[in-house]
């Protein structure tokens, strides 16, 4: 891993002012033009900031995009009243405003417009904040933190959006409180389980979460007595812990790689996908990735035992971060380690983590039941995942010839998993020590991107890892802009809680109309950002500026 390189005074990209348009970029920056000839000698220098000292002109009027993003987030929160996910037993269903916005056609239409427009306004605010940065110094960090708070705060009080997983958390917590083993029982074991609001896929599905998150679920349900809104708020506070960990450790990890920490923070914490998935959707992935990043930082700074403990806690939220352990073993073994030494430290890393997981599993005797739950995500697919699309094509062609199309599609899904395992193994056994974190990132990306199911929060796992190891200001950052825009459009149109009785002729018509309306509004806004907006279209088009960033780490 590269030595720490302070990189606080680098000039930002995406600024259309002529005075900055022809400057070259500092080698440690991933974000656009800086003064040519600037040396990375521990102090970054630009025309507007020295040694990371905050100046007024670090960011050109950040209040404008911060306010716009706040309005977008507020619009989403108001829209969630009409189309967000409410448990059937929620007391909010008896509030007149909720009744009007959820049962009257005009109220639902207003909710859809506010949600779609607000979500895309948040995307534009994020892009514009990045463009307003002249120098990625202390002033940019302050603006990014202000934006993260301003954009995230309204979402803390929204009805859950884009996912019903939080209601599954409540059901699993209730299983724990009532003495069931959630690794052996789905929430259908509970009386009136359908009133909890969880997706029907959870009725018989085994829990794929580790012991730590089961305890959090149990505590939340016990503390709130299964009150839906109270439980949601406590789960959001748990997610907030993960968000704070990301805010703390993303800049620290970026500095270890000579990547500008303030830009990495903007790419991660202020990112609309980060905020909507971790706050509005209340996913436990926030805590998972926050603990994992903290653990990686301590492993990289030679406090390996603490790092392994934190990564193990991450595994005990969602076991997917078990992929990190072989790379931590390599970090611990050190540079130029022999193969016997590597295997010794792989064994030590695995032994410590396994011992901690075993001790946690013995507390209530549930053991390693989460292993069975890991098969659930791999059994479903979605059309925009490359492997999912490949399976769909295989199934369609095979069915046309009278064959078992979906049986053959499963072979395609398994092939994707096999390729992912191969890439993970390659990244573990091959590559430079100084690229260990990047190798980990690529291995983790292979696991995510070669799955037949890719959810937007899976992408959020990857963003901080790529940000801290370097996202160049060329096709790489443009790809991120497109990905964020795509998943925001998809989320806005895919997960809406719309009462079917708004259309009595066809019970499915109301939901179809609602989703299509949301999709059209969000897509038109996205196309405006990409092709028409005089400011943001510059970010998506080919730049005439040479990319002078260092090679990817």
């Amino acid at each position: 891993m590269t030595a720490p390189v302070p990189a606080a005074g680098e000039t930002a990209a995406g600024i259309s002012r002529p005075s900055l348009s022809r400057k070259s970029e500092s080698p440690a920056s991933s974000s656009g033009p800086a003064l040519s000839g600037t040396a990375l000698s521990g102090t970054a220098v630009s025309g507007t900031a020295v040694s990371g000292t905050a100046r007024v002109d670090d960011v050109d009027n950040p209040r404008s995009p911060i306010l716009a993003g706040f309005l977008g987030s507020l619009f989403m929160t108001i829209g969630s009243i009409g189309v967000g996910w409410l448990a059937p037993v929620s007391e909010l269903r008896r509030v007149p405003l909720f009744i009007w916005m959820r049962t009257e056609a005009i109220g639902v239409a207003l909710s859809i417009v506010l949600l779609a427009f607000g979500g895309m306004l948040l995307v534009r605010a994020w892009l514009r904040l990045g463009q307003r940065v002249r120098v990625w110094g202390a002033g940019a960090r302050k603006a990014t933190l202000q934006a993260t708070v301003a954009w995230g705060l309204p979402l803390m009080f929204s009805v859950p959006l884009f996912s019903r997983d939080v209601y599954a958390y409540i059901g699993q917590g209730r299983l724990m409180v009532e003495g069931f083993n959630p690794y052996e029982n789905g929430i259908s074991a509970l009386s009136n389980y359908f009133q909890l609001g969880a997706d029907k896929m959870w009725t018989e599905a085994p829990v794929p979460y580790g012991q730590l998150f089961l305890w959090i679920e149990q505590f939340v349900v016990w503390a709130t007595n299964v009150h839906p809104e109270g439980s949601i708020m406590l789960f959001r506070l748990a997610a907030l812990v993960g968000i704070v960990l990301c805010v703390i450790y993303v800049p620290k990890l970026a500095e270890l790689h000579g990547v500008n920490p303030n830009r990495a923070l903007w790419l991660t914490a202020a990112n609309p996908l980060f905020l909507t998935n971790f706050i509005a959707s209340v996913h436990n992935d926030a805590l998972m990735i926050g603990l994992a990043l903290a653990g990686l930082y301590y492993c990289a700074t030679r406090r390996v035992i603490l790092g392994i403990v934190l990564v193990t806690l991450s595994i005990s939220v969602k076991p997917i971060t078990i992929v990190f352990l072989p790379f931590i073993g390599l970090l611990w073994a050190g540079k130029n380690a022999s193969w016997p030494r590597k295997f010794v430290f792989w064994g030590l890393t695995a032994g410590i983590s396994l011992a901690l997981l075993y001790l946690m599993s013995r507390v209530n005797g549930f053991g390693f039941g989460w292993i069975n739950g890991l098969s659930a995500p791999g059994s479903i697919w979605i059309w925009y995942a490359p492997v999912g699309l490949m399976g769909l094509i295989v199934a369609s062609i095979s069915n046309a010839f009278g064959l078992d199309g979906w049986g053959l599609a499963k072979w395609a899904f398994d092939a994707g998993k096999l390729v992912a395992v191969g890439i993970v193994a390659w990244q573990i056994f091959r590559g430079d020590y100084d690229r260990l974190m990047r190798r980990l990132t690529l291995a983790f990306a292979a696991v995510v991107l070669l799955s037949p199911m890719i959810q937007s929060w899976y992408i959020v796992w990857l963003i901080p890892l790529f940000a801290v190891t370097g996202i160049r200001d060329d096709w790489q950052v443009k790809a991120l802009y497109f990905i964020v825009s795509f998943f925001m459009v998809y989320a806005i149109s895919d997960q809406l809680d719309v009462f079917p009785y708004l259309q009595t002729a066809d019970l499915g018509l109301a939901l179809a109309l609602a989703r299509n309306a949301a999709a059209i509004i969000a897509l038109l806004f996205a196309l405006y950002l990409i092709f028409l907006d005089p400011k943001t279209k510059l970010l998506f088009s080919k730049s005439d500026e040479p990319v002078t960033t260092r090679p990817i780490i």
Side-chain angles (χ1 to χ4, degrees):
M1 193 171 295
T2 56
V5 180
E10 295 153 3
T11 309
I15 301 174
S16 58
R17 290 180 292 276
S19 61
L20 294 176
S21 61
R22 293 296 173 186
K23 297 176 184 177
S24 62
E25 183 181 8
S26 169
S29 171
S30 302
S31 59
L35 290 175
S36 58
T38 300
L40 289 174
S41 58
T43 303
V45 182
S46 78
T48 57
V50 179
S51 301
T53 302
R55 290 281 298 274
V56 174
D57 51 1
D58 273 12
V59 187
D60 181 15
N61 186 23
R63 291 182 180 179
S64 177
I66 290 174
L67 178 58
F70 174 78
L71 289 175
S73 181
L74 186 62
F75 290 163
M76 292 179 70
T77 299
I78 298 172
S80 74
I81 295 174
V83 293
W85 291 104
L86 273 181
V89 295
S90 174
E91 298 171 0
L92 294 177
R93 290 188 180 274
R94 295 193 290 270
V95 175
L97 177 62
F98 278 72
I99 293 173
W100 181 78
M101 294 192 72
R102 300 182 75 84
T103 63
E104 297 293 334
I106 188 171
V108 174
L110 176 62
S111 298
I112 290 170
V113 171
L114 288 172
L115 178 66
F117 185 81
M120 299 311 297
L121 184 60
L122 187 59
V123 173
R124 186 182 190 277
W126 174 63
L127 296 173
R128 289 295 293 136
L129 180 61
Q131 286 185 306
R132 293 295 182 96
V133 176
R134 292 173 178 264
V135 177
W136 288 102
R141 176 176 296 205
K142 179 181 178 182
T144 298
L145 291 175
Q146 288 174 339
T148 302
V149 172
W151 301 347
L153 185 60
L155 296 177
M156 287 290 293
F157 303 97
S158 67
V159 177
L161 287 167
F162 310 148
S163 173
R164 284 180 277 177
D165 282 2
V166 68
Y167 295 111
Y169 304 162
I170 297 172
Q172 293 153 11
R174 188 178 156 199
L175 284 172
M176 296 273 289
V177 169
E178 297 188 13
F180 291 95
N181 184 337
Y183 293 141
E184 297 177 355
N185 298 275
I187 61 174
S188 61
L190 301 167
S191 60
N192 295 324
Y193 71 89
F194 53 89
Q195 294 294 323
L196 295 173
D199 191 292
K200 63 181 180 180
M201 68 167 286
W202 289 107
T203 55
E204 298 294 338
V207 176
Y209 308 133
Q211 189 64 62
L212 175 60
F213 194 69
L214 286 184
W215 289 335
I216 293 173
E217 290 177 328
Q218 183 178 16
F219 171 78
V220 167
V221 171
W222 170 82
T224 64
N225 195 26
V226 206
H227 187 277
E229 280 66 52
S231 297
I232 290 167
M233 184 54 67
L234 287 184
F235 280 121
R236 279 196 168 128
L237 292 177
L240 187 60
V241 173
I243 292 169
V244 170
L245 288 173
C246 290
V247 168
I248 293 172
Y249 289 101
V250 161
K252 290 178 179 291
L253 283 166
E255 286 180 332
L256 288 180
H257 292 83
V259 171
N260 189 289
N262 305 317
R263 181 173 182 268
L265 186 64
W266 169 72
L267 288 170
T268 301
N271 192 308
L273 283 186
F274 182 94
L275 296 172
T276 54
N277 280 287
F278 288 171
I279 300 178
S281 300
V282 211
H283 284 299
N284 59 1
D285 306 71
L287 188 58
M288 176 200 79
I289 200 66
L291 288 168
L293 292 173
L296 287 176
Y297 173 75
Y298 288 113
C299 290
T301 53
R302 314 311 296 175
R303 288 165 282 185
V304 181
I305 301 300
L306 175 58
I308 293 174
V309 170
L310 289 169
V311 172
T312 302
L313 290 177
S314 170
I315 294 169
S316 67
V317 175
K318 293 189 81 168
I320 188 68
T321 49
I322 201 169
V323 175
F324 290 19
L325 292 181
F327 299 93
I328 290 173
L330 292 172
L331 274 173
W332 199 358
K335 194 170 186 177
N336 300 320
S338 63
W339 282 108
R341 180 178 173 85
K342 290 178 181 178
F343 277 98
V344 167
F345 281 94
W346 277 330
L348 287 172
T349 302
I352 293 171
S353 183
L354 184 63
L356 289 171
L357 291 171
Y358 176 76
L359 290 174
M360 294 171 72
S361 72
R362 295 295 296 173
V363 173
N364 49 21
F366 289 167
F368 290 87
W370 46 263
I371 294 176
N372 295 328
L374 296 180
S375 61
S379 62
I380 52 180
W381 62 278
I382 200 163
W383 61 270
Y384 57 73
V387 172
L389 180 61
M390 181 173 65
L392 174 61
I393 293 172
V394 168
S396 300
I397 295 175
S398 301
N399 287 334
F401 287 95
L403 302 174
D404 180 11
W406 289 110
L408 294 173
K410 187 178 181 300
W411 284 89
F413 298 158
D414 290 341
K417 297 173 189 176
L418 187 62
V419 173
V421 170
I423 292 174
V424 171
W426 180 268
Q427 294 299 330
I428 291 172
F429 289 100
R430 303 287 296 177
D432 297 333
Y433 179 86
D434 291 339
R435 298 185 73 252
L436 258 178
M437 196 72 77
R438 192 67 174 200
R439 288 160 58 189
L440 181 158
T441 302
L442 295 174
F444 203 40
V447 173
V448 172
L449 300 179
L450 291 175
S451 168
M453 168 58 73
I454 299 176
Q455 302 280 20
S456 59
W457 52 96
Y458 299 0
I459 301 300
V460 181
W461 302 346
L462 303 178
I463 291 174
L465 292 169
F466 277 106
V468 302
T469 55
I471 297 178
R472 290 200 310 254
D473 191 37
D474 52 10
W475 65 268
Q476 293 182 357
V477 79
K478 287 180 172 60
L480 179 61
Y481 298 154
F482 278 109
I483 289 168
V484 170
S485 301
F486 169 79
F487 277 106
M488 283 297 291
V489 171
Y490 188 83
I492 287 167
S493 60
D494 178 56
Q495 291 278 340
L496 299 175
D497 185 13
V498 175
F499 283 121
Y501 57 71
L502 289 172
Q503 283 285 346
T504 56
D506 184 347
L507 294 181
L509 182 57
L511 181 58
L513 289 174
R515 287 180 171 175
N516 287 334
I520 291 170
I521 295 170
L523 182 60
L524 289 177
F525 202 132
L527 293 174
Y528 169 74
L529 293 178
I530 296 170
F531 296 109
L532 298 177
D533 190 310
K535 300 294 185 181
T536 60
K537 71 178 183 179
L538 301 175
L539 296 172
F540 294 91
S541 60
K542 184 177 179 180
S543 174
D544 294 330
E545 297 295 330
V547 177
T548 58
T549 53
R550 73 166 80 190
I552 214 164
I553 296 174

